[in-house]
Amino acid sequence: MIAPSILSADFARLGDEADAVSNADWLHVDVMDAHFVPNLTLGLPVVQSLRRSTDIPLDCHLMIDDPDHWAPLYAEAGVANVTFHVEAAADAVRTARAIRAAGAFAGLSVKPGTPLEPYLDILREFDTLLIMSVEPGFGGQSFLEHTMSKVALARRHIAAGHLRLFLEVDGGINADTIEIAARAGADVFVAGSAVYGADDPAKAVEALRALARPGMAQSARETPPGTAL
Ligand code: DX5
Ligand code: ZN
């Protein structure tokens, strides 16, 4: 799945910018509070408006303090997938349950320097794992390839039947890097500048999808069910 990030879109024309990627699977919405990350974007009222103006399922990536309070409100607003950062959460499991109770998918995100091993158990409570491949806060940064070891680790746990998750990568995804992420085992790809920086955003979505497919096929061959962890 391809999830264009509206962080790289024109914030004064968000409805039109969503329409420009009507072939996208999810629309990625980066919520930043100038505390958890050194940048400020948008919040619940804008997400509520966006929800009314597009049929594309919204994928909200909360880069905010106190997600335990805020995340369920995004689920109640009709967001399809609500992802928050494990580094910011006081009780990630309780928050995941509240998101799911409100009818949304629950997502957990990890920054590039955050290991996955301490969280493998609680990931059973989630639908999505978002692995950051840049430091959260800004679009247009370079892909950090070392973060793909976490994608591969999560993919092995999924292949072995220990976890059921969408595996999402976010940051620096473009025509040069998407296959690396797909080969590591990702199946949801966030792309901001690579989509909204293109002359034709919908064509960029289609091109990225086509580039991801061979890598995903290879990943599936390399991690058959039962692979040793
Ligand atoms: C960064 C955001 C990303 C950002 C990605 O903190 O979480 O979603 O939009 O932008 P690109 O694709 O330009 O790296
Ligand atoms: Zn994001």
Side-chain angles (χ1 to χ4, degrees), residues 10 19 38 92 116 128 177 217:
D10 180 347
D19 290 346
L116 215 50
T128 306
T177 57

Side-chain angles (χ1 to χ4, degrees), residues 33-199:
D33 66 351
H35 287 269
F36 181 71
V37 287
N39 197 3
L40 182 65
T41 54
L42 51 83
L44 200 49
V46 177
V47 168
Q48 287 163 336
S49 295
L50 200 52
R51 172 78 178 85
R52 285 191 293 271
S53 71
T54 181
D55 293 332
I56 308 172
L58 298 183
D59 173 33
C60 275
H61 177 194
L62 305 183
M63 286 161 275
I64 59 173
D65 284 344
D66 200 11
D68 309 86
H69 169 71
W70 290 104
L73 301 177
Y74 285 82
E76 284 163 21
V79 170
N81 183 59
V82 181
T83 293
F84 61 91
H85 272 266
V86 72
E87 302 90 352
D91 189 338
V93 168
R94 197 188 59 198
T95 300
R97 288 178 182 167
I99 292 170
R100 282 176 157 180
F105 281 174
L108 192 72
S109 183
V110 287
K111 297 205 273 187
T114 302
L116 215 50
E117 285 83 354
Y119 307 111
L120 287 171
D121 279 347
I122 67 166
L123 279 171
R124 291 169 198 275
E125 304 273 350
F126 289 83
D127 305 286
T128 306
L129 170 62
L130 187 157
I131 292 176
M132 290 300 303
S133 39
V134 298
E135 286 300 333
F138 299 93
Q141 303 180 73
S142 299
F143 181 70
L144 298 173
E145 193 167 344
H146 70 84
T147 59
M148 293 302 103
S149 61
K150 286 188 279 187
V151 176
L153 173 67
R155 176 54 61 197
R156 289 198 295 277
H157 280 274
I158 293 166
H162 299 169
L163 294 172
R164 275 171 65 96
L165 289 167
F166 288 111
L167 255 186
E168 187 170 10
V169 286
D170 183 8
I173 295 293
N174 56 38
D176 297 325
T177 57
I178 193 165
E179 208 184 328
I180 301 170
R183 238 184 292 125
D187 51 17
V188 185
F189 306 87
V190 176
S193 46
V195 169
Y196 282 107
D199 290 338

